[in-house]
Each structure stands twice: as structure tokens, then as C-alpha cells.
Amino acid sequence: MNRLLIFYSICIFICILISTAVSQLTFTNPIIDTLSADPCVLRVGDNYYLTISEKGETELTIYKSPILTSFRNAESKVAFVIPPESRDMWASEMHEVDGELYIYFTMSTNGDNHRMYVLKAENASNPMGNWSLPLRLLPDWDFAAIDGTIMRHNRQKYFVWTSGRIGTLAIYIAPMVNATLIARPIVLLRQPTQEWECGDGCVNEGPFFIYNRNVSYMIFSGSSTWDPGYALSQMSIESGKDPLDPLNWDSVEGPLFWRNDEEDVYNTGHAAFTVSPGNFYDNIIIMQVIERF
Ligand SMILES: *[C@@H]1O[C@H](CO)[C@@H](O)[C@H](O)[C@H]1NC(C)=O
Ligand SMILES: *[C@@H]1O[C@H](CO)[C@@H](O)[C@H](O)[C@H]1NC(C)=O
Ligand SMILES: *[C@@H]1O[C@H](CO)[C@@H](O)[C@H](O)[C@H]1NC(C)=O
Ligand SMILES: *[C@@H]1O[C@H](CO)[C@@H](O)[C@H](O)[C@H]1NC(C)=O
């Protein structure tokens, strides 16, 4: 029954190409010329804002466009350049929280491999304006953390992310005090066990939330990003239930959105969602895929 969710989403879209040894001669990304992974788009006012990593994952760039399907020649703004000794600026997501705009992302520094950070917009009405310096999230939780996102449930905010704390990449959840402060407890929400999520290593990552009829849906990726079978699945929880108890969640058996060998489309992973102009459609999927020829 949960597969019906796919019909509530307008699954058109989108290709942000990562790297593909064979295909670069022929593949043309339909929406943007840059090569990057982990696309995320937020609609603010009358425009869409795409956040991605550029310059060898050292710069966090925002692209602005009134049209979701074209960021080519779009106005851009570098929100943050990582310090020289740092690397792996990954998976940035812009979110509106308590009337302000934030970008959550991952970065590795000299001492710490993959920790989460957040930037705040100086002016919440202008994502192309200046952004604050980064603030480390979970400063006293000393484990790798990537793909952070926000869940809204029962009028409470939760931070949901991926960590290799238990040795395999799994999804964690914790309540948020506010946009920059994550509270306790930190709960292991889901870890990969099924065949579809263990392609070239067991991985659960890239959580993103959509909401429909009092149910919160977490769309997430399973398997390695470099495995052609990288795919999306879903967990969901009804309003009123406590998301910090994993037993309150329902899971879909197997993947929900996966490779299409007939069309040569693979690695259908890391998705984000946004709304259509006028909020006519709540959930338009934005995702990375790879085509091979
Ligand atoms: C914030 O940005 C909006 C949209 O660009 C602009 O109209 C407004 O004047 C800005 N506010 C401040 C305080 O700069
Ligand atoms: C952003 O910061 C630069 C450098 O401080 C400043 O010149 C510019 O006016 C600022 N932009 C906005 C929109 O505040
Ligand atoms: C979050 O709460 C902490 C502790 O009260 C405070 O220091 C911080 O400024 C708050 N951040 C935001 C974005 O409100
Ligand atoms: C959602 O929950 C609220 C509060 O419990 C209830 O009033 C409303 O009817 C529910 N909506 C749907 C579509 O189930």
C-alpha cells in the first residue's frame, strides 16, 4: 500500500551526474552543466535554490532558478569555501527552520572525518545573500556523520542522518532543540540487512522527509553509491507516534525506486523533494541517477 506514495510524488526528474567512466562521452545532464552529487532544492519565494558541492567538493554553491528543470546559466552564489586542510564537502541541504534559512552539510577536517555543520543565511528572504560561518552539529558525538536532514513530526523537529558508528552506514534520529542544537537521545533508526541494500557493501543513507495525510515518510537510499543497484526505499510513521521508537515505524519490503536496465538507468539514489510552483504538487522528486551506454 505504501507504494501508492509514488503516485503522490511527481517523479519526473533529475539527473545530477556523479562520475561514470564509460558514459561521459554521451550523457548530457538535462538540468545543469556541473558535475556533482547529492542534489537538493528548496523553493523560497518564486525561485528554486539548488545546493551542490563544486571544485572538487570544496565549495558549497547555490544555484537560483525560477524553473526547476533548468539551472543552466543560472545565477550562482558560493555560500561557503572549506578551509585548506579540509575536504569532502558533501550533501548540502537548505532548510527553512523557525523562519530562518539554514544549510546542513558534511565536511572532513584535519582531525575529524565527516562531521555535520550548519550555515545560517543572514537574510532568510535572500538565499543568494551572505551566509554565516559553519557551526559544528553534534560537537560531542564523535562519530562520522553525513547526509543530515530535518524531520517535522508532532510539532517537533528531529535531525536524521547517516553514521558508520556501528561499522555499517546506518540511519540515526535525535530531537532538535532548535536549528543548530541537537538534543538526546540519539537513536539508531534503521540499518541495512536486506539484499537490495547491500550491493557492494551494506548502506542506508540519504534520508529525506515528505508528508502526506498525517503520515511522515522517510525516503532513503540503500547500497553503495557506486553500485548500479543503489536504490530508494521508504519508512513511514503516523502522526501521534513517537519517531524515537523504531518499532513505531513501518517499512516497505525491498526498494521503492530502482535501476531500469532496459533504459540503461542505474544508481537511482540519494533523492530530495521539493514543491511545484503554487504548491500544486507537494512532492517533486529530485535525484541523482547515472546513465550508461
Ligand atoms: C532581505 O532580502 C529581501 C529579498 O532580497 C530584500 O527585499 C530585503 O530588503 C532584505 N532585507 C534586509 C534586511 O537586507
Ligand atoms: C555580503 O558580504 C560582502 C562582504 O562583506 C558585502 O560586500 C556584501 O554587501 C554582502 N551582501 C549582502 C547581500 O549583504
Ligand atoms: C539554540 O539553543 C542554544 C541553547 O539555548 C542557543 O545557544 C542557540 O543560539 C540556539 N540557536 C538558534 C538557532 O536558535
Ligand atoms: C490528521 O490529524 C488531525 C489531528 O489528529 C486530524 O484532525 C485530521 O483529521 C487528520 N487528517 C487526516 C487526513 O487524517
Side-chain angles (χ1 to χ4, degrees):
M1 189 192 87
N2 279 331
R3 279 170 200 259
L4 285 175
L5 176 67
I6 216 82
F7 297 114
Y8 298 131
S9 308
I10 310 296
C11 295
I12 7 176
F13 196 30
I14 269 350
C15 310
I16 299 278
L17 186 65
I18 333 175
S19 60
T20 114
V22 265
S23 73
Q24 283 174 6
L25 293 175
T26 43
F27 182 83
T28 307
N29 186 314
I31 67 154
I32 196 165
D33 288 323
T34 191
L35 290 185
S36 189
D38 305 330
C40 185
V41 173
L42 182 70
R43 188 171 170 87
V44 180
D46 292 333
N47 288 284
Y48 289 102
Y49 296 88
L50 168 71
T51 43
I52 48 178
S53 303
E54 293 195 310
K55 305 266 167 69
E57 301 174 341
T58 63
E59 285 188 6
L60 199 173
T61 311
I62 304 170
Y63 285 87
K64 171 184 177 179
S65 172
I67 303 162
L68 184 55
T69 47
S70 179
F71 288 90
R72 218 164 241 123
N73 305 317
E75 184 188 344
S76 68
K77 160 87 185 175
V78 175
F80 179 60
V81 179
I82 67 174
E85 73 282 10
S86 304
R87 62 194 186 283
D88 296 348
M89 218 287 312
W90 287 352
S92 50
E93 290 190 4
M94 193 189 297
H95 290 274
E96 186 260 305
V97 183
D98 300 331
E100 301 287 344
L101 276 187
Y102 297 88
I103 299 177
Y104 297 87
F105 67 98
T106 295
M107 164 170 80
S108 291
T109 57
N110 238 344
D112 285 325
N113 240 351
H114 301 123
R115 298 294 191 270
M116 300 275 339
Y117 296 83
V118 59
L119 309 175
K120 182 180 180 184
E122 272 179 14
N123 178 347
S125 307
N126 183 20
M128 303 310 267
N130 293 325
W131 291 76
S132 73
L133 288 173
L135 186 72
R136 165 101 180 254
L137 292 165
L138 295 162
D140 49 357
W141 196 75
D142 222 9
F143 304 97
I146 63 170
D147 295 351
T149 196
I150 290 180
M151 174 193 191
R152 296 164 204 275
H153 194 78
N154 299 337
R155 295 166 190 255
Q156 164 76 50
K157 291 182 288 289
Y158 297 87
F159 199 65
V160 181
W161 71 100
T162 294
S163 173
R165 180 180 181 172
I166 55 169
T168 176
L169 285 169
I171 295 177
Y172 291 78
I173 182 170
M176 296 177 85
V177 175
N178 59 39
T180 59
L181 188 60
I182 297 165
R184 298 298 194 269
I186 292 172
V187 174
L188 173 58
L189 179 59
R190 188 182 206 283
Q191 53 181 307
T193 55
Q194 299 166 22
E195 198 182 338
W196 75 271
E197 53 195 342
C198 286
D200 207 10
C202 295
V203 175
N204 279 172
E205 62 182 9
F208 200 92
F209 285 84
I210 51 180
Y211 309 91
N212 192 40
R213 295 170 185 255
N214 286 350
V215 180
S216 300
Y217 296 89
M218 180 177 79
I219 307 299
F220 65 95
S221 309
S223 288
S224 302
T225 41
W226 53 85
D227 189 276
Y230 193 50
L232 296 173
S233 191
Q234 166 192 299
M235 285 178 76
S236 61
I237 181 169
E238 291 165 20
S239 68
K241 291 188 175 173
D242 179 7
L244 295 176
D245 182 352
L247 295 176
N248 286 338
W249 291 74
D250 295 317
S251 290
V252 167
E253 195 64 31
L256 192 66
F257 201 91
W258 63 94
R259 60 192 278 177
N260 181 342
D261 293 32
E262 275 169 30
E263 301 289 337
D264 276 329
V265 178
Y266 303 93
N267 303 70
T268 48
H270 206 158
F273 291 77
T274 191
V275 295
S276 69
N279 293 349
F280 187 64
Y281 297 112
D282 275 348
N283 300 313
I284 299 181
I285 192 171
I286 297 145
M287 61 187 299
Q288 63 188 32
V289 301
I290 293 180
E291 283 191 55
R292 289 168 213 260
F293 295 90

